[in-house]
Amino acid sequence: MSAPLTAAAPAPAGPRHNPKVVTALRRFAISISVLNILGYTVLGFEQPWTWPFIALATAYTLELALEAVGARSEGRAPRFRGNGFKGLVEFLFPAHITALAVNMLTYVNDLVWVMIFGVIVAVGTKWVLRAPVKGRLRHFMNPSNFGIAVILVLFPWASIAPPYHFTEYLDGGFDWLVPAIIIVLGTLLNAKLTERMWLILAWVGGYALQAVVRGLIFDTSIPAALAMMTGVAFVLFTNYMITDPGTTPSSKWGQIAFGGSVAGVYGVLTALHVVYGIFFATALVCAVRGAFLWSADVVAKRRAAEAAEKAAAEKPALTASEAPTAVLPALLKCGCTGECACPAPAPADKSGQPVPSGQDKIAVAA
């Protein structure tokens, strides 16, 4: 009697990030948490103090729910299971960063549901806008940037958080201390862990270049355009948003192209009088990168299929000279391929008459 059939256990989930990225995410999460604590106690954040907790609850719930659904559909174990509480915390690092960033960088008056909507869009886009990268689907759109951009598009009365609220209650030179600390910590983080320094250099250099070009072509005040680079918002964006390791290239020239493209698109949008162009430029470049990843995957699969067809067509068939000599006469006469059981033809004499076998000769003699 055969053993009863049992349901196969879900395949174990592969690691979501490599150890270096996990360390980077941990430090990102700690940094943005400390910044929010200082923002509501010292710096002058203007959103209600309860909103970060609402944003976190929304992001955590949605991230866990989408991962559970995705794991079930893909036949694997959820990634937040298997490593205890530590594994759960590490799994929620991206959601934690996204939630606090969306709440911290947007100002939607007293309509908390708009902020919640932005968090839902930011977290959900990781499951919707994905492209094949090294054989697996990964999100290509910067989550928090996309959530903020969608809020700005759908709710024209909304805005980004005013830059002064990062240093509203600081004076006597301490207002320069905040961006200085962010630059130092962000540079160390990106140099050692995310390895996105080429992207930062391309973005900062491209931003300065587009400011000068706009000044020469459109008579824009070059010092005013360059002064934007000294603000806390710009420093935060440079060190903690555009360098997202999950949605930016890893290669040197890929990083340079990405950072320079964001700066160039921002310059074009600003010349066209599009406000908040820094968020829209990032979203557009991420979208172009996603389309490129899909196109590259389609081309790679097509070339592999063509190569397989070409190899099959060029494979030489078995020739008569390569067939075994012992069965060659039978193969040529019956046309079989050597896998059938056709009897070999009887030997013939010079006149073409079959020669009797040994038993036939005995019977004739009798």
Side-chain angles (χ1 to χ4, degrees):
M1 184 176 180
S2 60
L5 296 177
T6 58
R16 193 181 192 192
H17 303 292
N18 63 53
K20 183 176 288 189
V21 174
V22 171
T23 303
L25 290 173
R26 181 185 299 112
R27 296 186 182 180
F28 269 118
I30 294 173
S31 299
I32 199 170
S33 299
V34 171
L35 181 59
N36 270 263
I37 293 172
L38 294 176
Y40 282 98
T41 57
V42 178
L43 303 179
F45 282 15
E46 297 190 353
Q47 298 93 339
W49 67 271
T50 56
W51 283 23
F53 298 100
I54 297 174
L56 289 173
T58 302
Y60 290 169
T61 303
L62 185 60
E63 185 86 346
L64 292 172
L66 291 176
E67 172 62 19
V69 173
R72 184 177 180 84
S73 64
E74 296 172 5
R76 57 174 175 79
R79 293 189 177 93
F80 54 80
R81 295 174 54 186
N83 197 20
F85 182 73
K86 178 183 178 182
L88 175 63
V89 171
E90 291 180 349
F91 173 82
L92 291 174
F93 280 154
H96 184 92
I97 297 168
T98 298
L100 293 183
V102 171
N103 175 69
M104 179 179 68
L105 296 175
T106 55
Y107 189 76
V108 293
N109 298 329
D110 59 346
L111 299 180
V112 65
W113 66 268
V114 177
M115 182 273 293
I116 294 175
F117 171 77
V119 172
I120 292 174
V121 170
V123 175
T125 189
K126 294 191 295 183
W127 289 89
V128 177
L129 300 179
R130 300 196 292 176
V133 179
K134 296 181 180 180
R136 55 181 294 190
L137 287 177
R138 298 184 59 181
H139 67 283
F140 58 83
M141 186 65 68
N142 187 303
S144 54
N145 181 88
F146 188 70
I148 295 171
V150 170
I151 288 177
L152 297 174
V153 170
L154 297 182
F155 306 99
W157 47 265
S159 67
I160 62 171
Y164 63 80
H165 89 160
F166 291 100
T167 55
E168 185 175 6
Y169 299 145
L170 300 179
D171 54 15
F174 287 100
D175 51 346
W176 285 90
L177 186 60
V178 174
I181 293 175
I182 295 174
I183 290 175
V184 172
L185 296 180
T187 301
L188 292 175
L189 178 65
N190 288 296
K192 292 185 176 182
L193 296 176
T194 66
E195 300 177 349
R196 293 298 189 273
M197 290 306 300
W198 287 109
L199 192 153
I200 291 177
L201 292 174
W203 155 246
V204 173
Y207 190 96
L209 179 61
Q210 64 81 30
V212 174
V213 171
R214 284 194 295 116
L216 296 176
I217 297 178
F218 301 104
D219 200 26
T220 304
S221 173
I222 295 178
L226 293 175
M228 294 291 294
M229 302 173 67
T230 64
V232 178
F234 181 90
V235 174
L236 279 173
F237 180 88
T238 300
N239 288 278
Y240 291 96
M241 181 169 287
I242 195 175
T243 56
D244 176 23
T247 57
T248 55
S250 300
S251 64
K252 171 184 173 180
W253 293 109
Q255 292 183 39
I256 293 174
F258 188 93
S261 297
V262 174
V265 174
Y266 169 81
V268 173
L269 293 176
T270 304
L272 296 175
H273 306 290
V274 177
V275 294
Y276 312 127
I278 196 170
F279 299 101
F280 299 134
T282 304
L284 288 173
V285 174
C286 285
V288 171
R289 179 172 177 264
F292 171 78
L293 291 174
W294 273 112
S295 300
D297 183 70
V298 171
V299 171
K301 289 181 178 179
R302 183 178 300 174
R303 288 179 176 175
E306 292 176 352
E309 293 178 358
K310 184 177 180 181
E314 293 178 351
K315 184 177 181 181
L318 186 66
T319 61
S321 59
E322 297 172 334
T325 56
V327 298
L328 182 57
L331 297 181
L332 295 178
K333 183 172 183 179
C334 71
C336 63
T337 61
E339 299 178 355
C340 59
C342 298
D349 57 15
K350 294 182 180 181
S351 63
Q353 297 298 323
V355 177
S357 63
Q359 296 180 354
D360 292 338
K361 293 179 179 179
I362 296 173
V364 171

